[in-house]
Amino acid sequence: MKKSITPFVKLLEKTNHETRNHLKTLLPQNTDRKISAAMNYAVLNGGKGLRTFLTIESASLCGAPKSQALQAAAAIECIHAYSLVHDDLPAMDNDDLRRGNPTVHKKWDEATAILVGDGLQSLAFEILTNDSTHPKDQIKLDLINSLARASGVNGMVGGQALDIEAENSKTLLNFADIIELQELKTGALIRWAAEVGPRLTGQNMHPFTQYAKSVGLAFQIQDDILDIIGNTKSAGKTLRKDSKAGKATFVSLLGLEGAKKKARKLIVHACAALDVFGAKANRLHDLANFVINRNF
Ligand code: GRG
């Protein structure tokens, strides 16, 4: 199935290009070194840029300067790229393909992939400490602290650990377990991205948190749907892994139609959470709809 180029996809690609150009200035420049080349590859070689778009739109909705938004977007993308590189390792998901290209440990080697993830994680926090992220230390500290929490043991890492435990257990997860796992594994970073605007400007975080919770779950439901009905070429990664492994997913628990219905309901909730912003939130509505209509 071909990627359909809607006006929203064009905007997403434009924003992705802009963020990646900013990231190019922050990533190691000495790409004749293996580790630097591999870090650049992990971040810049594809990716939809959903988390960076969310960061930039959240900041824009709150009236934060673009330069600050780009710094936060660069930080979240480094954490996201690190998680994918480590997730693809043989000790975790053991994948050869990511974003339609060889995974970092396949293109180089496992030691390089581990170091790329480590290097990107450190870089994310280094980026946030920069004065261009925000003039006030208190705000930079809050961004650093909240990103550390979202990506750590009470966020993404904790969710990944639950996922691995579940794979090695004979008991299948139930619906509440899967929600808990996914809110940590993928939801926590999505939520951080959505909360960047209020964190930079001191505005009410609640609408953004509510929006992100629903979008994060809908994102994961669509991922589970694509694992069943998607096409490896457009997805750019190995599919049907969860079903082959007999893992409990939103689709195995709700059925395909039930999962689609749940995702649509979540998107209605997500958009309603931003009612207070009126038409100014249209781009975040479009993002929410894209999340459940994407085929990649
Ligand atoms: C290794 C600590 C550690 C954590 C890994 C995020 C994650 C936790 C693993 C990724 C496994 C996976 C495929 C999860 C499903 C949701 C997800 C994060 C998909 C990839 O995100 P996209 O679709 O990726 O936004 P792109 O390539 O567009 O950036």
Side-chain angles (χ1 to χ4, degrees):
M1 206 193 302
K2 268 183 76 179
K3 185 164 96 175
S4 54
I5 307 293
T6 60
F8 176 75
V9 169
K10 273 196 188 149
L11 177 67
L12 182 65
E13 286 179 352
K14 184 172 167 269
T15 310
N16 202 11
H17 186 70
E18 201 177 355
T19 324
R20 275 155 216 277
N21 277 344
H22 185 60
L23 270 158
K24 276 184 200 161
T25 68
L26 301 166
L27 282 158
Q29 305 293 311
N30 51 343
T31 48
D32 48 333
R33 285 227 185 132
K34 184 162 74 169
I35 182 69
S36 305
M39 281 172 75
N40 276 267
Y41 176 85
V43 175
L44 302 174
N45 208 6
K48 294 177 285 299
L50 293 180
R51 292 156 196 79
T52 51
F53 185 87
L54 188 48
T55 305
I56 285 172
E57 285 304 321
S58 160
S60 157
L61 203 48
C62 293
K66 183 71 167 276
S67 54
Q68 296 178 3
L70 281 168
Q71 284 287 104
I76 189 80
E77 196 59 19
C78 286
I79 296 283
H80 171 59
Y82 124 64
S83 80
L84 298 181
V85 172
H86 279 190
D87 185 67
D88 290 334
L89 281 165
M92 297 213 196
D93 233 20
N94 194 16
D95 255 307
D96 296 353
L97 195 66
R98 169 70 61 190
R99 297 170 168 172
N101 294 300
T103 47
V104 173
H105 69 275
K106 279 283 160 190
K107 193 168 166 71
W108 284 276
D109 49 71
E110 286 180 36
T112 303
I114 293 170
L115 292 173
V116 162
D118 294 343
L120 288 174
Q121 179 167 204
S122 303
L123 180 60
F125 295 105
E126 187 187 333
I127 290 169
L128 291 179
T129 63
N130 197 289
D131 279 346
S132 58
T133 303
H134 199 280
K136 287 194 180 144
D137 286 346
Q138 191 59 38
I139 299 227
K140 289 198 286 265
L141 194 59
D142 173 60
L143 287 169
I144 293 165
N145 179 272
S146 53
L147 185 58
R149 282 165 175 270
S151 55
V153 72
N154 292 314
M156 180 183 73
V157 167
Q160 178 78 344
L162 286 177
D163 204 8
I164 292 171
E165 256 176 59
E167 268 176 37
N168 298 330
S169 152
K170 289 197 179 73
T171 322
L172 284 183
L173 298 182
N174 62 29
F175 191 65
D177 297 330
I178 296 195
I179 293 207
E180 186 197 354
L181 187 158
Q182 299 303 350
E183 279 185 350
L184 297 173
K185 182 175 153 181
T186 50
L189 287 196
I190 290 176
R191 181 170 162 185
W192 186 86
E195 289 175 352
V196 158
R199 287 192 191 280
L200 285 170
T201 58
Q203 290 180 44
N204 180 12
M205 204 168 307
H206 187 70
F208 293 88
T209 308
Q210 295 309 109
Y211 168 85
K213 280 186 172 180
S214 295
V215 168
L217 272 186
F219 173 86
Q220 188 57 52
I221 294 176
Q222 184 65 13
D223 223 62
D224 290 351
I225 292 172
L226 288 176
D227 190 60
I228 303 289
I229 63 166
N231 167 296
T232 302
K233 197 155 178 254
S234 28
K237 62 180 181 183
T238 319
L239 297 176
R240 257 77 60 202
K241 289 192 81 174
D242 289 352
S243 42
K244 271 190 200 147
K247 263 174 86 169
T249 66
F250 285 111
V251 175
S252 76
L253 290 175
L254 301 175
L256 195 54
E257 285 314 309
K260 286 182 182 171
K261 196 170 159 200
K262 176 80 184 161
R264 285 197 297 270
K265 218 168 157 186
L266 283 162
I267 292 315
V268 172
H269 280 297
C271 294
L274 300 178
D275 272 354
V276 54
F277 294 102
K280 282 197 207 150
N282 280 353
R283 288 196 290 267
L284 287 178
H285 291 185
D286 291 346
L287 172 67
N289 282 297
F290 171 78
V291 156
I292 61 160
N293 290 313
R294 68 195 164 96
N295 63 6
F296 62 107

